[in-house]
């Protein structure tokens, strides 16, 4: 039986989505660059500036209906995102916030070990 096409990973963890598809507001150094912001990866993305204006962007190359987003903390330090919002767009410049019941949905991250 083939897997449900609605629950197939989109390629961030296994690197089908290439490093060039990632960008961010800032990053701490090369080992903590945006393209390291993948699940179960040796490194991680870590911001240079600690404030709530930081963002991670991934160009998915195609249009997808996403059913879920996974997050985890940094594997070698006590760092993780506590909460985030999701935005989407078609041109990499103009974005709309993901909303539920007319309100911007805030997601709460967790530190997975």
């Amino acid at each position: 039986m083939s897997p449900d096409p609605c629950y197939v990973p989109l390629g961030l963890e296994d690197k089908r989505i290439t490093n060039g598809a990632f960008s961010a507001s800032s990053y701490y150094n090369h080992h903590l660059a945006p393209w390291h912001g993948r699940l179960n990866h040796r490194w991680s993305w870590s911001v240079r500036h600690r404030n709530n204006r930081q963002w991670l962007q991934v160009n998915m190359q195609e249009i997808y209906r996403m059913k879920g987003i996974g997050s985890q903390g940094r594997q070698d330090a006590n760092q993780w995102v506590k909460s985030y919002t999701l935005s989407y767009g078609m041109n990499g410049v103009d974005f709309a916030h993901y909303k539920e019941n007319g309100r911007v949905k805030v997601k709460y991250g967790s530190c997975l070990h």
Side-chain angles (χ1 to χ4, degrees):
M1 181 178 201
S2 64
D4 182 337
C6 292
Y7 292 96
V8 174
L10 299 178
L12 277 81
E13 183 178 5
D14 67 10
K15 297 187 180 180
R16 285 177 288 138
I17 302 295
T18 64
N19 290 352
F22 288 78
S23 58
S25 52
S26 69
Y27 59 96
Y28 195 76
N29 63 35
H30 180 73
H31 295 294
L32 301 169
W35 50 89
H36 293 306
R38 303 173 185 272
L39 288 177
N40 303 312
H41 190 60
R42 178 179 178 193
W43 304 103
S44 64
W45 168 57
S46 188
V47 299
R48 179 170 294 278
H49 311 287
R50 188 174 175 181
N51 60 47
N52 64 359
R53 295 183 307 274
Q54 303 302 303
W55 49 264
L56 176 68
Q57 179 176 318
V58 181
N59 181 342
M60 300 301 294
Q61 306 291 323
E62 295 182 39
I63 297 172
Y64 292 99
R65 180 181 301 260
M66 294 185 180
K67 297 284 190 168
I69 296 174
S71 66
Q72 70 187 71
R74 187 172 162 188
Q75 59 106 8
D76 62 347
N78 191 21
Q79 295 178 335
W80 62 92
V81 172
K82 293 179 181 177
S83 65
Y84 60 94
T85 59
L86 179 67
S87 299
Y88 57 94
M90 297 293 292
N91 62 11
V93 177
D94 301 308
F95 296 95
H97 287 289
Y98 171 73
K99 295 179 180 182
E100 286 185 6
N101 300 318
R103 299 181 130 178
V104 173
K105 177 69 176 175
V106 176
K107 306 292 274 178
Y108 296 94
S110 61
C111 183
L112 303 175
H113 294 284

